[in-house]
Amino acid sequence: MDKLKHLILLFVLINTQLTSAQSIVALDETVFIHANATTFVSGESLLYKIYCLKSSDKTPSIISKIAYIELVDSDKNSVFKTKVALENSYGQGDYFIPTNLKTGNYKLIGYTDWMLNKSTADFFQIDITIINPFKTSEKETVSNATPNSSSNIATNGNQSTPTEKSITNENVKFNLNKKSFGNRELVSLKIEPVNPVFKDGSYSLSVRKIDNLPAQNQIAAANFSSFSKNNTVALLSPDSNIILPEIRGEVISGKIASINGSDKVENITVALSLPGKSFAFKAVKTDSNGKFIFSIDKANYNNAITVQIIDDNASRYTLSVDELPKIDYSKLTFNADSPLSYVIKESLVNRSISSQIENAYYHKKTDNIVKAPSYDPFYYPIAKEYVLDDYTRFKTLKETITEVATEIYHKQKDDKVYLHVNDPSVFPQLPEAALVLVDGLYLENQNELMTYNMKNVYKIELIVGRYYVGAKSFNGVIIFSTFDKDFKSTQKASSIVNTSILRPQLKKIYNKIDYTNIADNERIPDFRNQLFWNPEVKLNNESNNTFYTSDNSGLFEIVLEGFTKNGLPVSLKEIIEVKDSLVN
């Protein structure tokens, strides 16, 4: 009897929680961005790390797998937008400031799809100043005002010039080999967690030159955690039009429609092809409104996609792919652009010359792209493989399947050719055609393959028997892989969309200048203002945080930002000086 009472009580508690969950949805997610600076001259790079956190306690949020970064100008137009893949709630990227952007005030905006259910004011914002010495406009003038006057470029009243003041943290400290360095000298920096709790976390580190160009106050992690508006959790009604989070990866959605208006749009198969070396192929069914959603859960950076309907009556439908949501930035506030001061002229000239020299020698200092991981195809390892170089080569597909891949045969239906896989366990053979992919691209009609030069094909793989991809079954699978993974199809129809989409930025390992052997780069000029950028700092790991000074002298600011795994913020700043070695 007591056991029965416990079971009844447990049922009541579960039912109560489910009912409560159905009445409200908690949106507990925000983002924090650490940028390498807030003022840039054309030709420089904006570097950033994005932290996806819970609004409530600033611990890592595991909801969204994709974040978005936008740069918005004072006319409320987005001049740059990118996706950032979040790995364990964190991501990174960069933006090269082009010469076609005018001088003025901008905002760097960060958000996730899940956060689109909040107001724009809840998105993370950094006020950015861009100075373009190569592009002038009617609004741009020069004044004799000092950098601290109200006539300097500012945004939302946050104008400031970086000071020499350091910011300390009782739980984390910098351990530098010294505070003053010469040109091209090694700086040994060790970041030590005084409190062991702070060892486990995610941090980013920037070392950049200080000058008197007008700069904006960038919110620190420590201040971000204390903002009351970011400590609140948005509550959503499930009856409202909720934008779903990208919880498994990138979301690509769209809709099909009946051309004559009478054909059903529900339960129609739609396929997504992301061709290439590590291709992706997915098939889903439409809902009652003809909508479909794909989720890309593995890294793939090909921006060319093909979406098409797989149905005998595909020609009766049209297909469209949804664009990314457009954010209303009309309520963003920018101060009017103000004239630049003559006081900053020397700093501006120096910054501009430095960026031009660095860009001229970029090929000697390139960042390394992190190689995208290779994934086994969805059919691995059950496919039978024919590497065509192991056999006598034939020019046509008809000869190749007759002499080599003998399980494959073709049928003509009206003006189309379809490939089939012979299944010896079934008689008679099933009438459905096989799933045919070329470098990951789905081909509904194989006419193109009948005239394609098979000498371009590296291998043919096949699976015999019924095979399911998502909710769609096929009578066998045939995969053609070319040597260059660059097959292009000419197939066109209202049921096929070939388009380009925004894809996540490629992850980089940012270049570190090494003067261990001075002779290696002795004749290469080094005018870096950004001495070091590490978006994946490990505390107590000195080897990751050593860097060399450049030929530029002056004061440089070391900034560490980040959060522990339990949501504790870290903001730490220190100033070092680089003296001209020739003077010394």
Side-chain angles (χ1 to χ4, degrees):
M1 181 60 72
D2 289 339
K3 185 176 181 180
L4 178 61
K5 288 181 179 179
H6 281 102
L7 289 173
I8 294 173
L9 178 60
L10 180 62
F11 173 79
V12 171
L13 288 173
I14 294 176
N15 186 60
T16 302
Q17 290 179 356
L18 288 175
T19 303
S20 176
Q22 291 172 355
S23 63
I24 202 163
V25 178
L27 201 171
D28 188 13
E29 187 167 88
T30 187
V31 298
F32 172 81
I33 300 174
H34 175 207
N36 64 323
T38 60
T39 298
F40 298 91
V41 175
S42 299
E44 296 182 333
S45 290
L46 190 165
L47 311 171
Y48 56 84
K49 177 173 179 177
I50 186 166
Y51 300 74
C52 187
L53 310 168
K54 292 181 181 179
S55 302
S56 54
D57 58 12
K58 303 304 180 292
T59 57
S61 172
I62 61 173
I63 300 296
S64 296
K65 300 301 183 292
I66 299 292
Y68 296 83
I69 298 288
E70 290 195 59
L71 187 66
V72 181
D73 64 18
S74 56
D75 294 326
K76 318 295 176 64
N77 298 318
S78 177
V79 298
F80 164 71
K81 182 175 184 176
T82 190
K83 286 182 178 180
V84 179
L86 299 175
E87 298 179 12
N88 300 318
S89 307
Y90 310 105
Q92 63 187 67
D94 56 79
Y95 175 57
F96 180 81
I97 307 296
T99 56
N100 61 353
L101 289 187
K102 64 181 182 180
T103 297
N105 301 320
Y106 294 77
K107 282 185 181 289
L108 189 69
I109 310 291
Y111 58 91
T112 64
D113 259 5
W114 191 218
M115 289 173 60
L116 293 179
N117 297 290
K118 296 183 177 183
S119 68
T120 309
D122 291 316
F123 296 172
F124 189 86
Q125 304 177 27
I126 298 178
D127 294 318
I128 299 291
T129 297
I130 292 177
I131 303 176
N132 188 343
F134 310 107
K135 184 181 180 67
T136 59
S137 68
E138 296 178 358
K139 296 181 181 179
E140 290 174 21
T141 58
V142 178
S143 117
N144 292 314
T146 62
N148 292 323
S149 72
S150 60
S151 62
N152 284 286
I153 294 178
T155 304
N156 291 341
N158 290 332
Q159 160 100 19
S160 70
T161 300
T163 67
E164 299 180 25
K165 183 179 179 181
S166 300
I167 296 178
T168 60
N169 186 304
E170 61 182 8
N171 297 297
V172 179
K173 67 177 183 178
F174 288 145
N175 189 348
L176 286 157
N177 53 332
K178 55 183 180 177
K179 294 289 187 72
S180 183
F181 302 86
N183 300 129
R184 302 195 178 194
E185 185 177 351
L186 179 68
V187 180
S188 178
L189 171 64
K190 188 173 183 180
I191 308 173
E192 299 178 345
V194 178
N195 185 336
V197 172
F198 285 76
K199 185 176 180 180
D200 294 325
S202 183
Y203 307 99
S204 45
L205 183 72
S206 173
V207 183
R208 189 173 178 85
K209 186 178 179 181
I210 298 172
D211 55 29
N212 67 343
L213 293 187
Q216 318 300 331
N217 289 328
Q218 183 176 174
I219 184 172
N223 295 331
F224 179 71
S225 289
S226 63
F227 277 5
S228 58
K229 72 172 185 177
N230 288 314
N231 288 327
T232 60
V233 178
L235 302 178
L236 308 173
S237 169
D239 297 329
S240 61
N241 188 19
I242 297 177
I243 299 175
L244 297 176
E246 293 176 287
I247 195 168
R248 294 186 179 90
E250 288 182 83
V251 169
I252 298 174
S253 61
K255 187 176 183 179
I256 70 169
S258 170
I259 293 177
N260 59 23
S262 60
D263 293 305
K264 70 168 187 174
V265 294
E266 184 179 10
N267 209 32
I268 303 296
T269 302
V270 180
L272 167 69
S273 301
L274 274 166
K277 294 182 179 180
S278 289
F279 68 83
F281 175 78
K282 294 179 177 291
V284 298
K285 297 285 188 179
T286 58
D287 64 13
S288 58
N289 296 314
K291 294 182 178 181
F292 57 87
I293 297 176
F294 297 102
S295 182
I296 305 173
D297 55 354
K298 295 179 180 178
N300 185 300
Y301 300 102
N302 184 8
N303 65 347
I305 67 169
T306 298
V307 184
Q308 52 195 311
I309 298 173
I310 303 180
D311 192 88
D312 291 338
N313 298 316
S315 60
R316 298 182 183 178
Y317 298 92
T318 60
L319 185 149
S320 61
V321 176
D322 295 334
E323 296 182 354
L324 291 175
K326 292 184 178 180
I327 314 300
D328 181 11
Y329 291 123
S330 61
K331 294 183 180 179
L332 289 182
T333 58
F334 295 82
N335 285 352
D337 292 343
S338 301
L340 298 172
S341 168
Y342 274 114
V343 177
I344 69 169
K345 180 179 178 181
E346 184 178 355
S347 294
L348 179 57
V349 170
N350 290 338
R351 286 271 288 270
S352 181
I353 291 174
S354 293
S355 68
Q356 291 180 64
I357 293 175
E358 286 299 291
N359 290 329
Y361 286 88
Y362 180 74
H363 62 287
K364 294 288 186 179
K365 308 174 184 181
T366 55
D367 302 322
N368 293 319
I369 301 295
V370 176
K371 184 179 180 182
S374 297
Y375 299 104
D376 293 324
F378 64 86
Y379 51 83
Y380 180 85
I382 62 175
K384 183 177 181 180
E385 182 179 270
Y386 291 96
V387 177
L388 297 188
D389 278 347
D390 294 343
Y391 303 85
T392 300
R393 277 279 185 175
F394 297 94
K395 186 176 181 179
T396 67
L397 174 62
K398 187 175 182 180
E399 294 170 307
T400 301
I401 63 178
T402 299
E403 302 294 338
V404 182
T406 56
E407 294 92 340
I408 302 173
Y409 63 97
H410 72 280
K411 285 185 178 181
Q412 184 88 22
K413 184 178 180 182
D414 298 328
D415 60 343
K416 295 183 178 181
V417 172
Y418 296 95
L419 296 182
H420 295 253
V421 178
N422 184 43
D423 185 354
S425 66
V426 177
F427 183 83
Q429 293 296 302
L430 298 175
E432 298 98 330
L435 166 64
V436 178
L437 302 177
V438 184
D439 294 336
L441 175 65
Y442 169 69
L443 284 186
E444 182 269 336
N445 171 16
Q446 287 89 58
N447 281 351
E448 292 176 88
L449 286 178
M450 302 306 290
T451 57
Y452 187 71
N453 190 341
M454 285 292 111
K455 291 185 178 181
N456 296 327
V457 176
Y458 166 62
K459 66 180 178 180
I460 300 174
E461 298 168 279
L462 59 89
I463 296 174
V464 177
R466 182 69 64 185
Y467 193 92
Y468 283 85
V469 179
K472 174 68 176 177
S473 67
F474 298 90
N475 184 27
V477 181
I478 306 171
I479 305 98
F480 296 85
S481 298
T482 67
F483 282 100
D484 296 327
K485 304 295 189 297
D486 59 352
F487 178 81
K488 303 294 182 185
S489 173
T490 58
Q491 58 184 354
K492 294 182 179 179
S494 62
S495 59
I496 300 175
V497 171
N498 296 297
T499 187
S500 295
I501 62 171
L502 184 67
R503 303 309 309 279
Q505 276 196 333
L506 294 169
K507 189 176 179 181
K508 294 181 180 179
I509 299 175
Y510 292 96
N511 181 60
K512 288 181 65 175
I513 302 297
D514 188 353
Y515 289 123
T516 303
N517 186 351
I518 298 177
D520 288 346
N521 296 293
E522 186 177 8
R523 300 178 63 86
I524 304 298
D526 185 355
F527 281 80
R528 290 173 295 131
N529 287 304
Q530 184 76 42
L531 296 184
F532 187 55
W533 169 254
N534 184 1
E536 296 183 333
V537 172
K538 303 297 182 184
L539 302 194
N540 258 349
N541 189 344
E542 186 175 352
S543 61
N544 276 352
N545 302 305
T546 58
F547 57 91
Y548 281 87
T549 60
S550 65
D551 295 334
N552 285 336
S553 302
L555 298 178
F556 289 79
E557 186 178 51
I558 304 174
V559 180
L560 177 73
E561 298 284 1
F563 296 85
T564 66
K565 286 187 176 181
N566 57 5
L568 297 175
V570 171
S571 296
L572 193 59
K573 290 185 180 181
E574 185 62 272
I575 304 295
I576 61 173
E577 184 178 12
V578 178
K579 295 181 179 180
D580 194 330
S581 298
L582 295 178
V583 175
N584 294 336

